[in-house]
Amino acid sequence: AQKITQTQPGMFVQEKEAVTLDCTYDTSDPSYGLFWYKQPSSGEMIFLIYQGSYDQQNATEGRYSLNFQKARKSANLVISASQLGDSAMYFCAMREDAGYSSASKIIFGSGTRLSIRP
Amino acid sequence: SAVISQKPSRDICQRGTSLTIQCQVDSQVTMMFWYRQQPGQSLTLIATANQGSEATYESGFVIDKFPISRPNLTFSTLTVSNLSPEDSSIYLCQGGNLDTQYFGPGTRLTVL
């Protein structure tokens, strides 16, 4: 079964608009973490933001925020005031803890290619 | 934030040979992982590198083909053995703690 689902293979957004990238996940573990990464055409994987399953507030990092809806098992990434440099692949990932950190592993979604139009 | 380096950045290898990739983290991390990424695809987890013990492999990946070492909290190696053209891919090392996970720049492997 798919653990991490990103339903938008590609998106086009006008520069300066806000954009929401969808991510849903599936786990029965009460302790888990959610990550978002950006991969520009250069290929590097850039860590953007993290949300823990027990965190009460949505995570924010500059223009990035994570809309965490635990009951719906969704962890959408919101980018405010998009810029041309935001054009990249974006991956959602989940860490399942399996009860202790040494057994944790991180699984990635299929990604969303975001293109920002000038 | 942790800085992760990988060596080599790229290599071209002959069928039947092996390539060992090194991953070095500039600070101690609890977790290290190895992934494979085909062009235009997502990341596939190969294994979790466990410090001082055998790696934990994902379905479809075996120790004989992908031996992994992690002698301490800052260093790990992945060997891709008995290379075939199907092993041509980018191999990425990831390291971090529960709430921060960083990637190395990747190793681009081409098998002829």
Side-chain angles (χ1 to χ4, degrees):
Chain A
Q2 190 74 282
K3 292 273 192 172
I4 295 281
T5 303
Q6 294 181 254
T7 57
Q8 307 152 309
M11 287 184 70
F12 287 89
V13 173
Q14 203 66 33
E15 189 180 9
K16 299 181 184 176
E17 289 184 350
V19 57
T20 297
L21 304 180
D22 295 341
C23 174
T24 58
Y25 59 91
D26 181 26
T27 182
S28 56
D29 197 324
S31 176
Y32 55 91
L34 297 153
F35 301 82
W36 276 93
Y37 290 88
K38 172 183 179 181
Q39 188 176 44
S41 57
S42 58
E44 64 201 288
M45 289 286 289
I46 303 169
F47 168 65
L48 295 179
I49 199 166
Y50 169 83
Q51 179 85 42
S53 59
Y54 295 119
D55 293 342
Q56 295 296 315
Q57 292 186 321
N58 287 345
T60 60
E61 288 288 346
R63 293 186 301 113
Y64 304 107
S65 61
L66 200 152
N67 184 3
F68 183 44
Q69 299 190 38
K70 197 170 183 177
R72 296 184 179 182
K73 295 188 176 179
S74 76
N76 299 339
L77 177 71
V78 180
I79 307 173
S80 63
S82 58
Q83 303 171 356
L84 295 178
D86 294 333
S87 295
M89 279 290 285
Y90 288 80
F91 292 100
C92 179
M94 178 176 67
R95 185 201 74 240
E96 290 184 300
D97 291 333
Y100 47 100
S101 63
S102 63
S104 299
K105 63 181 182 181
I106 300 174
I107 305 298
F108 281 75
S110 56
T112 296
R113 181 170 298 282
L114 176 64
S115 299
I116 307 298
R117 293 185 174 125
Chain B
S1 63
V3 176
I4 301 180
S5 59
Q6 275 184 246
K7 289 194 297 187
S9 58
R10 58 178 64 228
D11 208 341
I12 300 172
C13 298
Q14 295 295 322
R15 186 193 299 256
T17 64
S18 298
L19 176 70
T20 295
I21 303 167
Q22 297 181 5
C23 177
Q24 179 73 55
V25 190
D26 69 343
S27 58
Q28 291 187 347
V29 292
T30 55
M31 305 173 189
M32 292 185 78
F33 304 95
W34 287 97
Y35 293 85
R36 183 169 71 184
Q37 186 179 29
Q38 305 280 13
Q41 304 287 320
S42 184
L43 283 74
T44 300
L45 180 63
I46 298 171
T48 302
N50 299 311
Q51 190 260 326
S53 63
E54 189 173 292
T56 304
Y57 290 86
E58 295 301 303
S59 175
F61 298 96
V62 295
I63 188 171
D64 290 346
K65 175 69 175 177
F66 298 97
I68 288 169
S69 77
R70 189 180 172 193
N72 55 53
L73 291 176
T74 64
F75 185 78
S76 178
T77 66
L78 166 72
T79 298
V80 189
S81 304
N82 191 24
L83 289 167
S84 67
E86 292 72 34
D87 296 319
S88 296
S89 188
I90 296 173
Y91 293 84
L92 292 134
C93 169
Q94 182 188 39
N97 303 306
L98 282 178
D99 58 354
T100 51
Q101 290 284 338
Y102 297 95
F103 278 90
T107 296
R108 184 180 296 273
L109 170 62
T110 302
V111 183
L112 301 178

